[in-house]
Amino acid sequence: MPHINIIGYGSEASHMNSVCNGNGFQVIHLTYDQSECDVLYDCVVGDLVKATEHLETFYKLARKHKWHTDNGDSLHEISCEHLRRLYTKLAETTPGEEDSSKAAINLLLKAYEMAKEGGHTYQEGVSCYRIGNAYEAIQESQTAIKYHRLYLEKCKHFGNDQGVGLACEALARSYESLGDLENAIAHLEQYVEVTGKDGMQSQLARACSAIGQMCNSLGDYERAVEYFSRCYKLCTQLDDKESLHSSRVQCGIARGHHFTDHFSQSISGSLVAGIQGLVAWKDIREDPSTAVTGDTDEDNS
């Protein structure tokens, strides 16, 4: 059995022994009594690549020898978890160019495989979310949808409402990129349901605004007004002045479109009756769907 003094980096490493080096990373040592298994894993001065190489060696050895800690924990599973973290960290530090983005995706896919192999079901979902976002960033929306759906399934399994909301929001972005606004709206409405239940007001306002914009694009002005109005009320409660101004303008535009739609219908048949209806509406300013009918007293008699 190897002698072990191991751990990861950052705040996630609290359950094992580690020494912080002042650079945001931590020194990690894996020391084995067997000469063939000597491995020193130092994550210092941000040398994540070197750290990953050493931990990959540890992972292969732990899997081969089926090592366990004195407490009975599987070192293979532990190595999977720390490799997942390192692959994820490497992906985050990869530059944003196209070739680098694909390299980052490959690292995230490795992180996903480590989560699966190590039996970390929750982290499988989190890795799927990151992979989906990475694919969406390079406009491969169909592939992004595949991974966001997997994340949604995991979140529902664990009863993670916040994760369900994030998954629905991500799916909505991907469907919008594909031009499928109906599916995008459907997922955003799920997001609204979750955020409304959990009292996440700012996220709820953002979702309502996004639905309003999509409904506007589809010509569904009545629903656009409904969601923009809801967004406006939420921004008022949150005292978010910047968003409040934006939502006020969006709501006004949607109402204008909504009115125009009904006004156009009111004069498309009988011009005289339509104009009379518009004049009547001008005096009362009610909902145009009920106020502008084009009916006159003579017609109703």
Side-chain angles (χ1 to χ4, degrees):
M1 178 66 64
H3 167 71
I4 301 180
N5 177 21
I6 170 178
I7 221 30
Y9 51 86
S11 60
E12 296 179 331
S14 59
H15 62 291
M16 291 188 178
N17 300 322
S18 58
V19 181
C20 186
N21 68 355
N23 288 298
F25 297 94
Q26 293 176 332
V27 179
I28 302 158
H29 298 285
L30 306 177
T31 315
Y32 302 92
D33 294 336
Q34 300 99 322
S35 59
E36 65 174 2
C37 301
D38 283 345
V39 179
L40 178 62
Y41 165 31
D42 291 320
C43 185
V44 294
V45 198
D47 192 355
L48 294 174
V49 175
K50 191 67 175 175
T52 303
E53 290 174 359
H54 286 309
L55 192 51
E56 284 173 339
T57 301
F58 168 56
Y59 156 78
K60 292 174 184 176
L61 293 168
R63 184 175 62 176
K64 176 182 177 181
H65 295 288
K66 295 182 172 57
W67 286 332
H68 289 76
T69 66
D70 293 338
N71 295 327
D73 297 322
S74 167
L75 288 176
H76 170 232
E77 292 180 5
I78 291 173
S79 65
C80 286
E81 171 59 10
H82 289 290
L83 270 178
R84 180 196 66 78
R85 295 179 183 179
L86 280 172
Y87 288 142
T88 301
K89 192 69 176 178
L90 281 169
E92 290 173 351
T93 57
T94 302
E97 293 80 5
E98 183 176 352
D99 289 342
S100 298
S101 295
K102 291 179 179 178
I105 288 173
N106 287 334
L107 286 165
L108 290 173
L109 288 168
K110 284 184 176 182
Y112 171 62
E113 291 302 324
M114 286 296 102
K116 285 179 65 176
E117 188 174 330
H120 300 281
T121 309
Y122 178 79
Q123 290 300 336
E124 280 183 52
V126 175
S127 295
C128 285
Y129 178 66
R130 293 188 178 112
I131 293 167
N133 287 340
Y135 273 116
E136 185 59 41
I138 60 173
Q139 300 180 334
E140 292 190 24
S141 300
Q142 201 64 59
T143 307
I145 287 170
K146 169 188 170 184
Y147 285 99
H148 286 317
R149 280 177 175 166
L150 288 172
Y151 178 50
L152 180 59
E153 289 174 10
K154 298 294 183 186
C155 290
K156 286 181 176 179
H157 173 75
F158 284 101
N160 180 1
D161 285 344
Q162 186 173 6
V164 168
L166 288 173
C168 289
E169 184 182 31
L171 281 163
R173 285 197 303 268
S174 295
Y175 279 117
E176 184 181 15
S177 297
L178 293 173
D180 187 351
L181 295 186
E182 291 289 356
N183 253 323
I185 290 171
H187 283 89
L188 279 175
E189 286 178 332
Q190 288 184 54
Y191 182 40
V192 165
E193 182 181 350
V194 171
T195 53
K197 181 172 63 176
D198 286 356
M200 296 182 284
Q201 300 289 75
S202 58
Q203 292 92 329
L204 179 58
R206 188 172 71 241
C208 287
S209 177
I211 294 174
Q213 292 174 47
M214 291 181 191
C215 289
N216 228 0
S217 299
L218 289 172
D220 190 349
Y221 303 126
E222 188 170 354
R223 282 175 76 196
V225 170
E226 174 190 344
Y227 279 102
F228 281 139
S229 297
R230 191 171 176 183
C231 177
Y232 176 76
K233 290 176 182 177
L234 287 165
C235 291
T236 302
Q237 294 170 9
L238 292 167
D239 196 25
D240 183 347
K241 292 182 172 55
E242 184 176 350
S243 297
L244 183 64
H245 175 72
S246 174
S247 62
R248 182 190 292 120
V249 172
Q250 289 175 324
C251 192
I253 292 171
R255 286 187 185 279
H257 285 149
H258 185 37
F259 288 177
T260 301
D261 187 42
H262 283 286
F263 294 163
S264 298
Q265 293 176 20
S266 71
I267 63 175
S268 60
S270 170
L271 180 60
V272 174
I275 290 175
Q276 289 175 339
L278 291 176
V279 170
W281 173 83
K282 183 172 179 253
D283 292 332
I284 57 178
R285 300 297 176 99
E286 291 180 354
D287 184 335
S289 62
T290 58
V292 183
T293 61
D295 294 335
T296 64
D297 293 338
E298 184 178 344
D299 293 329
N300 292 328
S301 61

